[in-house]
């Protein structure tokens, strides 16, 4: 018997924050972000330090917004991750925080993985509050995963555009506001896709696995959610996930969306859509939670999706394993 | 108010396993390992796949040993990590498991980080059992962090030797055996060390931070433990940690040891001692838990220690942040 879903009675969102890069600031959700940087370097000397600054800003903003709920004793615990080798964005932000720190790696599913764990820690009573965060930066990702950015190499239409941004969420035991009802931890799924420029197809089966498991564990149905948002499947992956879910008896329709398809305008050249840890992070912590706060949504499932490859793994001929983690929110 | 220490009432070690490379199989603890590979490639075509095989073997062995406790439904949850970019050893092992999977990154502290989280999940009631695992491989680490292995580049005496091995521990709610009493989650500490060939010095202050916090949170004293074992501080770092603890009123003496100094014999050329995720993993899950089982030890604190640098971070002139996580065992 698997126990994939953790149920929470008393975990609430105390505050959330999202910061975004200049390109994201020209997109559809620009009005939802707490901060939009004018410069892709964010005033830093390197892209890596720029990404770190974004994650730091997002975490500090979320903690500030949480105000007296966490301000008395500072943050009790930070759980964070990113895409960079050795998780350096998160670790170096941890250095500024003077609180217990846990680094996680779930590729682009990291925002929901860190939130699931933060919610469990708070729910267990081990901490009264915890902050979860994740970041990605287009230039650090391109440089690390693909070709030197300066090459300006061409891409196929299946490729995605790594979102530049960071998001953070402070959770705690509270009596009002948005509650986190459950988190479903995904399995590593590999359907044999080996093209690192088509990660949506690789991740779609992982999203389907965790969504099906979530419904199985909770007894809920598709129509119980006002919105089910995958993290960064993009045009190709989201269509595959939709088709698979429909085939397997989960009739998703207009309420099934993808964060990576919401960020940019049609005029922005992003191939199959946005990707990266920041895709689900800034859409959830910038846009979707606001929709819950204002009553436009009541029940929301966010499914962070991650492709667990590395440049070494695909150079060695491996296919791309993927994972997804789902967190359920209720207004 | 920080809440750095998680207390558990009912979490026990159901089974543990450690596998080691050929060089480690010539060391002091050879008799403690479940499996010693004759070949540094472990029969695989690449070092990365070799590391993956070790972690897979360790996790599968631990689960087999746990027998009917977990066998009825399979593993409920795997939490694992390693040193490779994008955590590929752990993620690709996750692909074999068909169970919920959480990737963590704590550099060489990962064995205790994953065990702390697995214990929390079990203690919270979210799962009945979970397996925690970590691995490292000398050749994958050298290649990734330092120079191409074929160069055979010289090293200073402060350098450490990455341990080739993997360890895993299955924890569950149980009525007998070794109990896990608490876990103290460390903070990211940076004392300004910037030499990537002296990680012991960088990690020592992090070990001291978490040990002090552990005693503060639990009310225990140094003499309450039969043994306090750091993960991989080596000769240089362990002496610094010992001196700092003594200066700050924690009089550690012969019961304060380091896993990285226990693995190899004096005849083996390992510079300042062993390091890597496998250092604390194979010493704890191979040797130390056996000492608890046979009654030679009653109370044990293992302090996993990790240096959170990446090649990029030190090439960009950054100092080395470090972290440590402590887990307390009782026979």
């Amino acid at each position: 018997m698997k126990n994939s879903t953790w149920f929470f009675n008393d975990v609430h969102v105390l505050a959330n924050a999202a910061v975004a890069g200049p390109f994201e600031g020209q997109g559809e959700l620009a009005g939802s972000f707490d901060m939009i940087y004018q410069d892709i370097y964010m005033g830093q000397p390197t892209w890596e330090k720029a990404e770190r600054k974004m994650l730091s800003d997002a975490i500090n903003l979320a903690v500030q917004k949480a105000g007296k709920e966490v301000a008395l004793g500072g943050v009790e615990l930070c759980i964070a991750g990113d895409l960079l080798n050795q998780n350096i964005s998160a670790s170096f932000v941890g250095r500024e925080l003077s609180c217990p720190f846990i680094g996680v790696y779930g590729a682009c599913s990291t925002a929901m993985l860190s939130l699931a764990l933060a919610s469990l820690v708070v729910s267990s009573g081990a901490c009264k509050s915890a902050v979860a965060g994740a970041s990605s930066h287009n230039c650090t990702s391109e440089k690390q995963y693909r070709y030197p950015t300066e090459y300006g190499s061409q891409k196929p239409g299946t490729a995605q555009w790594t979102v530049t941004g960071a998001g953070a969420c402070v959770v705690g035991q509270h009596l009002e506001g948005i509650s986190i009802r459950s988190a479903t931890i995904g399995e590593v799924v590999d359907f044999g896709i080996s093209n690192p420029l088509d990660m949506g197809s690789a991740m779609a089966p992982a999203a389907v696995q965790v969504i099906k498991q979530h419904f199985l564990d909770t007894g809920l149905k598709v129509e119980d959610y006002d919105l089910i948002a995958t993290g960064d499947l993009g045009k190709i992956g989201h269509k595959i996930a939709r088709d698979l879910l429909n085939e397997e008896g989960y009739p998703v329709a207009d309420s099934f969306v993808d964060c990576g398809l919401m960020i940019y305008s049609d005029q922005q050249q992003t191939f199959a859509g946005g990707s990266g840890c920041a895709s689900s992070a800034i859409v959830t912590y910038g846009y979707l939670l606001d929709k819950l706060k204002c009553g436009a949504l009541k029940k929301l499932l966010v499914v962070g999706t991650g492709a667990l490859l590395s440049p070494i793994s695909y150079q060695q001929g491996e296919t791309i394993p993927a994972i997804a983690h789902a967190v359920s929110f209720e207004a």
Side-chain angles (χ1 to χ4, degrees), chain A:
Chain A
M1 173 70 197
K2 288 175 199 168
N3 282 296
S4 302
T5 299
W6 303 339
F7 294 93
F8 311 121
N9 287 319
D10 46 5
V11 180
H12 283 74
V13 174
L14 301 183
N16 50 288
V19 302
F23 190 59
E24 289 67 25
Q26 297 162 20
E28 294 292 330
L29 304 184
S32 304
F33 305 135
D34 294 271
M35 196 189 291
I36 294 167
Y37 304 88
Q38 297 308 309
D39 167 19
I40 193 76
Y41 277 97
M42 289 88 193
Q44 301 297 307
T46 68
W47 291 326
E48 287 75 17
K49 291 183 189 196
E51 178 172 339
R52 196 179 305 165
K53 173 154 177 55
M54 288 193 297
L55 184 57
S56 174
D57 285 345
I59 287 176
N60 284 312
L61 266 171
V63 171
Q64 274 171 33
K65 285 189 195 179
K68 69 178 189 328
E69 297 285 347
V70 299
L72 281 175
V75 188
E76 285 184 53
L77 174 68
C78 175
I79 304 181
D82 58 277
L83 294 173
L84 296 191
N85 296 342
Q86 286 70 54
N87 235 9
I88 49 169
S89 305
S91 296
F92 279 76
V93 170
R95 182 170 71 170
E96 304 167 5
L97 292 176
S98 297
C99 75
F101 175 83
I102 290 174
V104 290
Y105 185 76
C108 309
S109 73
T110 296
M112 291 306 109
L113 174 59
S114 55
L115 185 63
L117 282 168
S119 301
L120 182 80
V121 175
V122 167
S123 172
S124 77
C127 284
K128 286 198 181 62
S129 67
V131 62
S135 65
S136 57
H137 189 297
N138 186 277
C139 300
T140 61
S141 280
E142 284 298 312
K143 169 182 167 184
Q144 176 179 285
Y145 284 103
R146 298 176 190 104
Y147 297 100
T149 318
E150 292 79 358
Y151 285 14
S153 61
Q154 289 195 313
K155 292 186 174 185
T158 54
Q160 292 180 240
W161 182 268
T162 303
V163 176
T164 300
C169 186
V170 183
V171 294
Q173 289 173 332
H174 203 62
L175 296 175
E176 55 185 27
I178 298 165
S179 66
I180 297 179
R181 306 294 292 174
S182 69
T184 304
I185 302 299
E187 301 179 17
V188 182
V189 173
D190 190 331
F191 266 41
I193 305 288
S194 59
N195 178 3
L197 293 171
D198 181 12
M199 307 243 254
S201 298
M203 295 189 291
V208 170
Q209 182 274 323
V210 86
I211 291 169
K212 283 169 58 184
Q213 189 69 44
H214 178 79
F215 287 128
L216 199 66
D217 292 348
T218 59
L220 295 171
K221 293 176 181 160
V222 171
E223 57 266 33
D224 290 322
Y225 284 104
D226 299 317
L227 204 71
I228 300 173
T230 54
D232 61 344
L233 295 182
K235 281 177 205 159
I236 318 285
H238 198 253
K239 181 173 184 322
I240 296 172
R242 178 186 297 248
D243 290 349
L244 287 172
L245 284 167
N246 278 300
E247 274 172 28
E248 303 202 34
Y250 299 89
V252 293
D254 290 349
S255 66
F256 184 57
V257 299
D258 184 63
C259 298
L261 294 174
M262 297 164 73
I263 300 172
Y264 301 106
S265 74
D266 290 344
Q267 283 70 49
Q268 292 180 293
Q269 164 67 286
T270 60
F271 309 96
S275 68
C277 297
S279 181
S280 56
I282 68 174
V283 173
T284 305
Y285 301 147
Y287 177 74
L288 294 174
L289 294 193
D290 277 356
K291 292 284 161 201
L292 285 166
K293 277 177 205 158
C294 76
L297 294 174
K298 282 193 176 154
K299 291 195 74 173
L300 165 70
L301 187 69
V302 180
V303 183
T305 41
L308 300 169
L309 83 170
S310 84
I312 288 265
S313 74
Y314 75 77
Q315 284 158 9
Q316 293 186 353
E318 273 291 354
T319 52
I320 303 174
I323 199 162
H325 303 293
V327 177
S328 155
F329 301 85
E330 192 170 333

